Amino acid sequence: MNHPVSRAAGIAAAALLLVASTAFSQVPSYYAAWGQSFNDTSAVSQFPHAMALDGRGNVFVTGHAIVGSAKGFYTAKYDSLDGHVVWQKELNGAGTNEFIANDVAVDSSGDCVVTGSRNVAGSIDYYTVKYSGVDGTLVWQKSFNGTNDSEDTALKVVCDGAKDVIVTGRSGGKNVNNSTGFDWVTIKYKSIDGTQLALDSYTQTSSNLDDVPAGLAVDSANNVFVVGTVQTALNVNRFYVRKLKSSDLTKLWDITPIDTGTGGADAEGGATAVAVDSNNNVVVTGGSRDAADHFGYFTIKFASAGSEVWRSKGPFSEDTFGTPYATRPVGSTRAKAIGIAIGPDNNPIVTGTLIDASGNPVSRTIKYTSAGFFGGGVAVWPTDAVDMGSGFGNTTARAIATDGASNAIIVGETQNADSNTDLYIAKYDAQTGERVYATSYTGSFGSSADLGVDVKVDRAGDIDALGSFVADKGTGIGLREFVTIKLNRLIAPTGQDLPDGITGVPDNAEIKLAGTPAIGASGVLAAKLSFKAGKKTGAALFVEGSAAGGTLLPAVKEEPAPVGVGDSAVNWVSFSDPVVAADGGYAFAAKVSGPGSKANGVWANLNGTLRLVFRQGSVIPVAGSTDKFSSLMNLGVSSGNLVALVKLSGPSSMNTALIRVDQNNVGTVLLRTGQTGLLIGGEDYTVKGISIFAPAKLESGDGRWQGQLGVVARVSAVKTSDSKSKTTAIVSISNTGTKNASFYTGQTAAAPLTGTYSGFGMPSTAGGTSIFATKATLTSHPAASNAALIYSLTGAAFSVFAEKGAATGVIGLPPAVTYADFSDPIVNTSGRVSYIATLKGSAAEVKSSTKQAIIFGSPALLRFSIARTGDFATDSAGDATSLKWTAFTALALPDGSSAGPVFIGKLSTSKNNLGLWAHDSVGDVRLLLRAGDHLGDLVVKKFTLLSVVPKSMSAARSFDSAGSVVVALSFTNRTTALLRIGIP
């Protein structure tokens, strides 16, 4: 791939563009990861209009530039990790022809749709373009000329769940008098080729009055909501909502236009934004006015079927709308709500601009309960978030987004000490509305109005902001340009305040240290942490990313721990690192107060409630069992299930058990030592030992348990009728306890292998009882050819994808190179495998410095060498650097067909020689993090992830199938933080 801008260049661009940056937060919750501009040296004016993100967090921006007297589309895709330009497209006008892009959307495949207008020979039409998300190739383009051959301008675009495209805008209408002013026209296009599937045209009256939509959204059934302003009489603007059927855009329902003012003319009475919650209810916001000419907010919620649920009028400005006109920031409008967002907690958050008593614009953000303002008698936030920015005057909100914890993030502008404006970003706490982070950025031209345009939050909680800056491009006059800023979030940094009101945690408590983190695909992150308040220190289990929002501390040292029925009350003493399931369930080992014989246990939250699973000296949660839990050996979780390898009280020959516990705390013994009836090769065997998914060595990687159907274990056993006849078997065990031993020592290996099996490494499973891989050793072979990697989809039939002494057959390696050895393989749910291979070949082909390679691919099809010692290591853009890989020290493989390995490598330098790399969704190996990296003012000293968690099945689940990796960082200034990194 071409990577025109490296990460270093991207950050350098940020330094040039963002000449001044003021942080208002005492704790560095975010750092500027990169900044990007549209041709910073081009002496033309550029106007950004909108941005969108794909599922991997890559950023798409669009707008227009003025070249000569003509305007032209500009659309670009920026890489989420380092901001380099993946592709950019321009549609330039000439003469009277021009293109203006107003909005951008990205579908679930990552393809990009831009809509706006095209002016050809004076005819202004809707113009919609679809680009391939991969490389910007034009997929299709469509225009629309309305019934009156008048101005037709598309304003908004969305992609629905079927990836079809919906656009809406204003279109000159026609009646018997040849005009109905601007009408709403909404069009649906087929995703694959742009075929027009449906069209809805709406006019409020047959008079020559303008109706203009402002917001567009779709629900989970792909039905369409359009909101905006309609005129019921000359200059009488009303608030209007319209719901259209997915299949043909016929009207499902609409509302009688609402007078949000005091009757009569109301110049700001329309809807400005719309959002749909998880129940397909729709919330719409816009402008209002009171009897004293104070402009303000109007917000209303409708059930999916169209009945009104609640409405809220206000808050209002403290001054009339006319006073601040002379001093307002460039481009600002009368006071009103301009944006709405709904987070996972389903509570709508509205932002906009009001006028204070001094006549200055202030940003004001208000959070409603899903039942309305003061729903249930209590507001979500004690007070609205009234924000004066840097404190020098005018502060305006332009757009709003929420993160996965329902915190609100706004972008706009704020006046600085020089009376100019800077782009302004602020974050408000989901529970309290308190401003928890704020920063501002200014362009490179001294006297300028730098503005915020749009804001989005990616799956990692990082902020992407689009701005319109005035830049010095060598012309002596300031020219506008696009600027995009990526702020990466530091989680639980040293010194950050913990939320108030947590039992056992003083209100002035600050985080001291966070441990090795684990995450799930749902976004939940968990880690143990320590905190301090003055001279007092404490410890807790930290959980972030629940639908309830905010930081949770479900377990705090010295506070009560859940116990079993009839147990005496106990308090938490200490915690292990947790493990997290894909759905957000988590589990951890802990020590509690009380007698030493009952101090240790396992707790889990698999269904929304933290409960005790095992406790020392207590009977295990298996119906009819009298066995008591003694100690934990291994622990793992998946959606709704916990599997633990435990020691039980009793004779040593039968005191080890593999137990599954469901979300209702009902357990099943899957396997235990001393158990007979294990059929191996048709003979009855007695279980002697159980090993499950604990890597034998670090580079063995992450053989995690992730199966919903069961587990696969390595079992040692003796023949029940002959204790001298021993074997080791790979045993798949269903959740009901059904066991299948398909591979065992002493068994004759099936073709293409020869000899008999003499041993097995640690198996890796993705399906529980299927899709697993393991390393097998063989008798009757010399050491140079006595092992193979085998792969099974069914737990029985298998294929061989690597053999010691045989040619690798791996793309990227010379054909004559053979395997000298390999680590235990890792497999994921898509059937991909990865492993570290040791190579053998001629002196020209394999040197001591080039003998290790990371292999990845499909066992049944193709495998690739994605990294090899002696090769030049890659940077964040996937380009080769001047440093070489010298060793690989850890390897993991996330789920998903587009996922690839994550690994830690050593570099050929004596300083800062450890880095973290990942194979991205398009096949590039990208540097995610390296010791010595600067994260803002912080310098990374070391990072921790993929480390074996004591008494867990393997590594903390520090990566997920959604393309995220989370690491624990320590910095050179002795502070720490967690960082979630998105893999593009």
Side-chain angles (χ1 to χ4, degrees), residues 214-215 227-229 239-241 260 268-275 282-288 296-302 310 312-315 336-341 348-352 364 366 368 400:
V227 307
T229 301
F239 187 107
Y240 181 66
V241 180
T260 64
E268 298 292 334
T272 56
V274 59
V282 61
V283 187
V284 189
T285 197
S288 181
Y297 296 2
F298 180 83
T299 304
I300 189 168
K301 178 176 180 177
F302 298 97
W310 54 260
S312 173
K313 192 173 180 179
K336 61 183 174 183
I338 54 81
I340 186 169
I349 310 174
V350 171
T351 197
R364 186 159 181 168
I366 182 169
Y368 302 87
I400 185 171

Side-chain angles (χ1 to χ4, degrees), residues 124-126 144-155 168-174 179-187 199-203 209-213:
I124 302 174
D125 301 331
Y126 281 25
F144 167 75
N145 185 12
T147 58
N148 207 24
D149 196 22
S150 181
E151 178 190 335
D152 306 293
T153 299
L155 301 172
T168 195
R170 61 177 186 257
S171 174
K174 180 185 290 188
S179 178
T180 56
F182 283 127
D183 299 339
W184 295 18
V185 171
T186 305
I187 304 173
L199 182 148
D200 172 67
S201 180
Y202 164 77
T203 184
L209 300 174
D210 291 336
D211 306 314
V212 180

Side-chain angles (χ1 to χ4, degrees), residues 58 184 274 326 328 390 467 529 550 594 670 739 755 784 786 810 857:
N58 298 302
W184 295 18
V274 59
R328 70 187 184 194
S390 53
L529 61 76
L670 301 179
K739 292 166 279 293
N786 69 346
V810 169

